[in-house]
Amino acid sequence: MRTRAPFVPDDLHATVQHALAEDVGSGDVTARLVPAEQKSSARVIAREAAVICGQPWFDDVFARLDRTVEVRWEVQEGAHVEAEQLLCTLHGPARALLTGERTALNFLQTLSGTATAVRRYVDAVAGTNAKIVDTRKTLPGLRNAQKYAVVFGGGVNHRIGLYDGILIKENHIAAAGGIRQAIANAQALKAGVPLMTEAEDLEEARAALAADVDLLLVDDFPLEQLREAVKLVRAHRAGGGKTVLEYSGNTTLGNVRAIAETGVDRIAVGAITKHVHAVDISMRFSGG
């Protein structure tokens, strides 16, 4: 169970390269309207309040187009900004600035949108012990980037993919013949990754606690049932167990506070990476 993105994802350069390839293709024919030797400057402005995220992707776009482009950031990664605030300035060959504008802004707008959504949920549960956790419901090709943005929004990363954690879900339980058998099969693998399981009722929760799984994920429990699960987990940990309790299912900004106040450790929210509202950010040229 990951808690922080310790560094920029390894696939950053490949992600940027792919994004540029789909946009530029055989060449930016419109940029040829500007002389190759012309230099320009530009300003990037936030048009709405947001948490800014995605600077490494933004920078890499222009570095790949022309190493002489200078990007000067006026805000730090993860900073909250207000509408009409200056984010950064750029200076360099006009063609490179024109070609990279949309791809760079796409990364910045999307990842800022993710970070902003996360921050809203984190703020909504402030003062409780609950942490906001992401899921695998990410935009195709941008998983690592969005997981990075979750951290800068104040959230916590769940497993990155299918390879770095076992998460037994209802279909695994059904296929294995029950939760106890599914957990036993997982333990027999000795995979060296966290063992996590969903539970759809308190009976399954007790079975998971009996196996002292790393994480118990209760799915769509009503609040009263969730409070009972919290009591079970706390008693389990008081007896030396290690299990962490996570809630998932139809969480919104309207109900996340009530869920957090049950005492649950973590709340998984698919919407923070799935329902992305890109932040309105624009680039304006200001001459040479």
Side-chain angles (χ1 to χ4, degrees):
M1 296 174 290
R2 296 180 56 159
T3 56
R4 290 192 62 82
F7 43 72
V8 173
D10 292 339
D11 65 354
L12 181 149
H13 300 307
T15 303
V16 169
Q17 184 174 4
H18 178 76
L20 283 171
E22 72 179 3
D23 199 32
V24 179
S26 59
D28 181 356
V29 291
T30 313
R32 295 178 193 168
L33 299 175
V34 178
E37 67 278 6
Q38 181 174 322
K39 303 288 186 181
S40 289
S41 296
R43 294 158 50 88
V44 176
I45 308 291
R47 297 304 183 189
E48 60 182 312
V51 175
I52 297 303
C53 188
Q55 293 178 4
W57 286 262
F58 186 98
D59 292 346
D60 197 56
V61 167
F62 292 106
R64 288 187 166 275
L65 291 171
D66 194 308
R67 288 285 179 183
T68 66
V69 172
E70 299 175 5
V71 182
R72 179 176 177 178
W73 288 97
E74 301 295 329
V75 299
Q76 292 186 337
E77 188 84 322
H80 182 275
V81 302
E82 299 298 334
E84 305 309 316
Q85 187 167 338
L86 175 66
L87 304 183
C88 69
T89 57
L90 302 93
H91 182 75
R95 285 187 178 182
L97 298 185
L98 290 165
T99 298
E101 174 186 0
R102 176 44 49 203
T103 299
L105 288 178
N106 282 348
F107 280 117
L108 193 63
Q109 291 173 326
T110 300
L111 299 185
S112 294
T114 299
T116 301
V118 175
R119 187 69 58 84
R120 292 192 182 111
Y121 277 91
V122 170
D123 289 346
V125 302
T128 72
N129 292 322
K131 298 182 184 300
I132 300 300
V133 184
D134 58 25
T135 71
R136 287 168 48 238
K137 297 175 183 178
T138 53
L139 301 178
L142 285 179
R143 172 162 304 170
N144 287 330
Q146 284 194 288
K147 293 276 187 177
Y148 168 97
V150 166
V151 172
F152 278 92
V156 172
N157 293 153
H158 209 291
R159 59 177 180 165
I160 302 302
L162 297 173
Y163 57 89
D164 62 337
I166 295 172
L167 177 51
I168 301 169
K169 300 172 75 69
E170 58 180 322
N171 286 336
H172 300 103
I173 292 170
I179 190 169
R180 289 177 177 83
Q181 188 60 52
I183 292 172
N185 292 349
Q187 291 172 327
L189 290 176
K190 300 185 184 302
V193 296
L195 173 54
M196 304 168 279
T197 184
E198 281 189 356
E200 294 195 315
D201 53 42
L202 290 174
E203 181 180 354
E204 288 190 344
R206 291 187 181 96
L209 291 173
D212 194 27
V213 297
D214 293 294
L215 182 137
L216 169 61
L217 194 159
V218 291
D219 189 37
D220 262 333
F221 274 31
L223 290 182
E224 191 55 43
Q225 192 174 13
L226 180 56
R227 293 186 189 97
E228 289 300 314
V230 169
K231 291 178 183 177
L232 289 175
V233 171
R234 286 179 176 173
H236 175 70
R237 291 206 293 250
K242 64 177 181 294
T243 305
V244 172
L245 181 62
E246 181 174 296
Y247 173 87
S248 74
N250 298 312
T251 302
T252 67
L253 283 171
N255 65 19
V256 70
R257 180 80 191 185
I259 295 168
E261 288 177 344
T262 65
V264 68
D265 300 307
R266 298 162 37 128
I267 304 172
V269 185
I272 57 178
T273 52
K274 183 177 65 169
H275 302 154
V276 179
H277 167 76
V279 173
D280 188 1
I281 299 173
S282 65
M283 182 186 295
R284 292 291 179 265
F285 278 60
S286 55

